[in-house]
Amino acid sequence: MSPRVVVCLALLGLAGLTACDRPADLDRPLDAQGPFALSHHVAWTLAADPAVALLQPATGRVTFAALSAAPRRVFPEPAGRGLLVIGTDGAASWIPADERGVGQAVRMPLTGDYTAVAFGPDAGRAVLYHAPGSSGGVLSNPNQIAILDLGGGAAIERSLRSFGGEPLGVVLGPPQAVAGADRQMAWVLAERYLSVLDLAAPTAREVVVHLTLAEDTRSIRPAQVVFGEVEGAATFFVRAEGSDDLFALTFPDDAPADEVPRPYLTQLPAGAGPSDVLALQVADGMRVFTADPGSATLSVIDPVTGRRVGVDAGARVSHLLPFRAQRADGEGEGWSALAWDDHGDTVVFVDLDLLERRRGRALTPLVLGAGVYDLQPLPGRRGAVARDARNRLLLLDFDARTATPLQAGRSLGAVRVDPGGDRIYATVVGDDSADYAVSVDVDTARVTAARLPASPGRLLLVPGAGRLVADHQAAWGWVSVLPLTDLDDDRVQVREGLLLQGAFDR
């Protein structure tokens, strides 16, 4: 009996119960949200019987983690280590998941109605806050935040001092030694200033760092914070809209562990109106890189001396996407970046290890025949994949200076890159109007395809499980699971009724 027949019979059975006495809960829809891709699982939230359903594609196992109330907001952790769910009862629930399975849910009661979250790089802590422009309740406080200890289950809510504004964003640094103690610094961005917190001392009063003098009327909006280590000391670099400088913040050698240390602020020249910034340890030491679209320039800044080297990019560049790839000088793998502008027709491969010394010779531009978007690097390779305005996939090889086009039949859907960089996956509507998942071998441009049973609403890459999951947007849970290899129709594993499993037991 096919999976679809089983699901249909189950649904008919549920409908047949309408003439019998049964709990009113069975009349409620599942109200599923998702799916959300994690490193080893695909997750949905269910509102009718509050829970998170997690499918582990490598094993086919479905696990349900109960929630205390219906989900209001859902935040997947960026590295896929779990799901943070805010319920209608105001509580935050952290559901960790890894290759071993689903961990015990951690519930943290809250009083604020938060709309955004920032996770720490190690997923040990998170900060909930109000996204700009959001409001709720009778009188909302946009400067209220909640500091969550995801491992220990503690939540501390507090209000930040405000100078007439509200948080523009929150950025969390890694746990590290700062000012003589083990700390985890968090930065709350606001108009003309930043608030600095130590998440290891969540009740300590924040420190406010002003980016302008009192008499300066310019609108300076901090937009990006990146982390580095300069001469053994933690250093944080801030890019602000409205300023041609970068702000470098360092801390004193020692400060009490229960207080937030006050940082020292210095300014570094960064070209004209930088739109993106990286701080990386390259061959010559710690360097800060910026994209300066107004002058079509890439800047390399030595944070110790303040020396800036400007390199003509040959085209407008506003974004820098870093990744590891082989160096042009044959010295193994190093830091590289893709530099490009939104919907521009030029992509520049930048060898960041060599940019300061070789300047223009460290750049490899590719001029394409149409505007490019959805640009992704191929890890470990001097290459990338892009979609263009002509409904094509482009395989970019910067060593050969070629762009190999792959034309979609009727339309091209989601594009995903294998973590190893040797394959690309996509969904396509073919000339026969059927839906397909395709796999492209980067070395040969060979395409294999598998027909899907229905249109995929989303294509999810679950790297830890070594699987692709195409979601078919059915209320009861209907997906196709595919391996990260060549594809054909026999390799499609269809799972229906995922969200109905155990419906009478929950």
Side-chain angles (χ1 to χ4, degrees):
M1 186 177 297
S2 73
R4 179 174 292 189
V5 171
V6 172
V7 171
C8 291
L9 290 174
L11 293 174
L12 288 172
L14 287 172
L17 291 174
T18 55
C20 307
D21 292 333
R22 43 97 178 258
D25 286 351
L26 293 180
D27 289 325
R28 294 184 296 174
L30 289 170
D31 285 341
Q33 296 181 56
F36 305 95
L38 304 179
S39 60
H40 292 81
H41 295 76
V42 176
W44 294 260
T45 60
L46 309 177
D49 186 8
V52 176
L54 299 104
L55 165 68
Q56 190 169 21
T59 64
R61 182 183 179 187
V62 179
T63 303
F64 291 87
L67 298 173
S68 58
R72 176 180 292 167
R73 296 182 180 89
V74 184
F75 305 104
E77 193 271 327
R81 287 171 283 203
L83 206 66
L84 184 66
V85 182
I86 309 297
T88 53
D89 60 352
S93 295
W94 167 246
I95 297 94
D98 57 24
E99 69 277 6
R100 297 167 296 180
V102 180
Q104 183 69 36
V106 179
R107 183 176 181 273
M108 294 159 280
L110 301 169
T111 62
D113 181 16
Y114 303 100
T115 59
V117 67
F119 288 95
D122 65 343
R125 296 184 176 98
V127 173
L128 289 167
Y129 63 101
H130 299 272
S134 62
S135 63
V138 178
L139 185 65
S140 61
N141 176 7
N143 289 287
Q144 182 178 358
I145 64 169
I147 299 173
L148 308 181
D149 180 347
L150 300 178
I156 293 178
E157 294 181 282
R158 52 182 292 185
S159 289
L160 301 172
R161 285 174 291 171
S162 171
F163 296 89
E166 60 183 352
L168 303 174
V170 178
V171 181
L172 274 58
Q176 61 189 144
V178 176
D182 292 330
R183 308 178 191 270
Q184 185 171 12
M185 310 311 294
W187 305 82
V188 181
L189 314 183
E191 185 77 33
R192 295 164 60 90
Y193 69 92
L194 305 108
S195 292
V196 186
L197 307 171
D198 179 4
L199 301 187
T203 60
R205 183 180 175 92
E206 74 275 12
V207 169
V208 174
V209 179
H210 291 272
L211 301 181
T212 61
L213 299 174
E215 63 272 15
D216 191 342
T217 59
R218 288 180 302 161
S219 175
I220 302 293
R221 295 168 61 93
Q224 193 175 0
V225 180
V226 295
F227 315 106
E229 189 173 288
V230 179
E231 297 184 323
T235 305
F236 302 83
F237 301 96
V238 180
R239 179 182 65 84
E241 296 172 356
S243 174
D244 292 337
D245 294 322
L246 286 179
F247 301 90
L249 295 108
T250 55
F251 289 87
D253 294 333
D254 198 13
D258 59 351
E259 295 181 9
V260 177
R262 180 172 293 277
Y264 302 124
L265 175 67
T266 58
Q267 291 174 259
L268 300 171
S275 61
D276 205 353
V277 60
L278 303 174
L280 297 169
Q281 189 75 29
V282 295
D284 294 327
M286 173 58 64
R287 293 294 184 268
V288 181
F289 303 89
T290 64
D292 311 323
S295 57
T297 299
L298 298 172
S299 294
V300 187
I301 304 162
D302 184 334
V304 176
T305 66
R307 177 175 180 261
R308 171 184 171 269
V309 174
V311 181
D312 183 4
R316 179 183 169 89
V317 289
S318 3
H319 303 293
L320 290 172
L321 183 59
F323 65 108
R324 303 283 293 179
Q326 292 298 312
R327 287 173 52 176
D329 58 5
E331 295 296 323
E333 198 173 81
W335 280 110
S336 300
L338 300 176
W340 82 103
D341 191 48
D342 292 319
H343 306 299
D345 65 353
T346 300
V347 179
V348 183
F349 178 89
V350 187
D351 192 324
L352 297 177
D353 277 297
L354 302 175
L355 182 60
E356 185 174 4
R357 282 176 280 151
R358 293 192 176 183
R359 306 199 182 188
R361 291 178 296 143
L363 306 180
T364 305
L366 279 180
V367 181
L368 309 170
V372 169
Y373 61 104
D374 193 18
L375 183 67
Q376 300 179 60
L378 299 176
R381 297 168 177 261
R382 298 169 65 85
V385 61
R387 298 172 62 175
D388 72 4
R390 297 179 181 174
N391 197 34
R392 300 183 301 178
L393 272 182
L394 300 176
L395 304 182
L396 309 184
D397 184 333
F398 292 99
D399 281 334
R401 300 194 178 189
T402 59
T404 303
L406 300 173
Q407 183 69 51
R410 293 200 173 184
S411 65
L412 178 64
V415 178
R416 302 287 181 260
V417 175
D418 185 272
D422 56 357
R423 284 186 180 272
I424 298 162
Y425 307 95
T427 54
V428 174
V429 178
D431 290 333
D432 57 357
S433 297
D435 293 281
Y436 294 88
V438 299
S439 171
V440 182
D441 186 304
V442 170
D443 290 322
T444 64
R446 176 174 176 265
V447 178
T448 58
R451 185 165 179 156
L452 299 174
S455 175
R458 295 184 64 191
L459 181 66
L460 307 176
L461 176 63
V462 189
R467 301 291 193 279
L468 289 168
V469 175
D471 172 55
H472 303 302
Q473 294 183 302
W476 55 87
W478 182 16
V479 300
S480 295
V481 181
L482 306 101
L484 301 184
T485 58
D486 288 339
L487 297 181
D488 58 50
D489 292 353
D490 293 335
R491 290 177 178 264
V492 180
Q493 297 179 356
V494 179
R495 295 289 304 271
E496 280 200 75
L498 294 169
L499 306 182
L500 295 177
Q501 294 187 20
F504 295 99
D505 301 326
R506 299 200 299 275

